[in-house]
Every structure is written in C-alpha cells, then in structure tokens.
Amino acid sequence: PATVYSGLADVILFEEFDTNEDSISNALQGTDAWIAFNVTSSLLPIFAAAAVKSSVKRVVFAVQLQNDESGPDVCFSPICEQLSAAGVLYTIVKYGELRPMGEGKYPYRIVRGALPIPSLTRSNSPVGSFPLSTQDLYRVLAEAVDLPKTYNNVYGIGPGTTLDSEILIYMKSQGWPERIQVGLLMGDMMEKIEQKYEALLRGQRSAAESGAAPVAAPAAALPSSGFFSN
C-alpha cells in the first residue's frame, strides 16, 4: 500500500536558482507552512528572513551540511532566535550525504541538534553502511510538519546501524502509524536505547567471563525492555 503522509496540502515549487528573499517571501504569502530541503547553511539566513517577512506560521528546513560543518553544537542559534522572535514555529533537520533511494531500504538515525550528524564512519554494521535515503528524509520532514514535539527544535539525521534497523522493523511490525514512528524517533530515544543496548552487551560479556547465567540477548530484549515507554 502507498505510504500516507500527514500535514501536506499544497506544494509551492521555487526555481533552483531562486534565492531572492523578496521573491520567496512573495510566493509564500497566505501559506501556513513551508517545507524546504536541499538548503545550504549559507542559504538558511535568506530562507529564515523570507519566512519572517511572509508571516508564514510554520517552517521545516532540511539543511545539507558539508563534512566540516557536521560536528557537534551546530544548532544555528541566530536563525532559531530570529524565527522564534517572529513567532514562526521552526524545525531544522541537518543532514550530510544523501542518496536517491526509496523509503525503508536502510536504517537511519535521528539525533538531537547538539550532536554530530550520524555518519557512515560511525555505523557499525553492513546494514548501516549506506547513505541516508532521500525518501526517508522526505518522510521525516513531512511527518514533522504538525508534530508539536518538533516545534522550535533542531535535529540531525543520517545513516543508522543494525540497532536502528531492529527498532524500525519492530515499530512497523506493530502497525504503528508513520506519525507515531517519526514522533518517537525525533529526539533522544535512540540514544537511550543505545545506552541500554550497550549496558546489556557489557552484562553479557561480564556473565560470560564469570561463568554466571547468561544475560538475555540484547536484540531479543529490545521490544520488551521498556524502551518505548519514555
């Protein structure tokens, strides 16, 4: 079945070369929400100013960063302050390498904006050795539009690991709507899961070294260990 996304009614297309603040602002007149992707860090101030000038109420900006911009604490604070002061509800999603692929082919990881963008070098399994898919990025952006949890927040998104794949598969197997899945992933849920996963691995190794009763396998424990309660 086709995937149904929330929150999108109309789409306004800008010419690729159209980076003029006034022309973008004029095109946005009367628009409640604006999703923009393939935004560079240099274009972000122009887009933010256009949003403020147009009186748009909600923006979701997907900002593609170069390697030297993808480290920690890249949170676009001046832009966030500008949008917030104007009463524009914003969500900024930063990302790195992107590949044109369908949704759900490979796992992805969403992190808080203060953290580095997840990259191929941190992915610890073959499943996570592929770039972020365009369709997975679009899915996250579309669902974030009317998710209050994401208002006035910055996130990073990038390649996932085997652990991310297990969580995504689990949520789909439970029949959870796309909105619920993305809502759970936006923030620090995967950080918490990874911490518990690593603690289980340490316990498993310790038990093996001491000859004690084996600790439950981390993958088997994930769905029933209360990871989804926070």
Side-chain angles (χ1 to χ4, degrees):
T3 301
V4 178
Y5 297 107
S6 308
L8 297 183
D10 299 303
V11 177
I12 299 175
L13 297 178
F14 299 108
E15 295 294 338
E16 187 174 350
F17 55 80
D18 189 353
T19 58
N20 180 273
E21 177 185 323
D22 289 330
S23 62
I24 295 175
S25 175
N26 291 335
L28 289 171
Q29 292 297 325
T31 301
D32 289 330
W34 177 24
I35 298 177
F37 52 90
N38 292 337
V39 181
T40 63
S41 55
S42 60
L43 282 177
L44 187 57
I46 297 173
F47 279 33
V52 170
K53 186 178 292 186
S54 71
S55 299
V56 70
K57 300 174 183 176
R58 173 80 171 117
V59 297
V60 179
F61 292 148
V63 183
Q64 187 169 33
L65 300 181
Q66 302 303 312
N67 289 338
D68 59 351
E69 302 175 299
S70 61
D73 300 319
V74 179
C75 295
F76 314 107
S77 295
I79 300 297
C80 295
E81 291 169 5
Q82 177 186 14
L83 292 168
S84 182
V88 180
L89 297 172
Y90 66 85
T91 301
I92 298 176
V93 180
K94 55 184 183 176
Y95 65 97
E97 186 177 356
L98 193 65
R99 179 177 294 179
M101 291 189 298
E103 180 185 332
K105 290 185 176 296
Y106 303 108
Y108 61 89
R109 169 75 62 91
I110 301 174
V111 298
R112 295 177 292 111
L115 297 178
I117 297 174
S119 66
L120 299 180
T121 56
R122 66 168 287 282
S123 299
N124 57 16
S125 75
V127 174
S129 61
F130 294 88
L132 176 67
S133 160
T134 51
Q135 293 301 314
D136 283 326
L137 174 63
Y138 299 162
R139 168 198 171 191
V140 169
L141 300 178
E143 295 295 344
V145 171
D146 60 350
L147 278 175
K149 173 184 179 180
T150 69
Y151 294 173
N152 298 339
N153 278 302
V154 178
Y155 302 94
I157 184 171
T161 66
T162 302
L163 180 60
D164 297 280
S165 182
E166 289 185 16
I167 298 304
L168 289 166
I169 290 171
Y170 175 77
M171 291 194 292
K172 289 181 182 297
S173 73
Q174 299 303 299
W176 294 352
E178 306 283 348
R179 176 183 173 86
I180 298 299
Q181 295 179 42
V182 172
L184 285 170
L185 293 171
M186 300 291 271
D188 63 355
M189 188 188 83
M190 286 307 302
E191 285 180 67
K192 293 177 179 178
I193 290 176
E194 192 162 57
Q195 289 168 3
K196 294 181 180 180
Y197 182 91
E198 290 172 352
L200 284 170
L201 286 177
R202 287 194 298 271
Q204 195 174 50
R205 286 194 295 266
S206 177
E209 291 169 359
S210 66
V215 179
L222 280 175
S224 59
S225 296
F227 290 130
F228 299 98
S229 61
N230 296 326

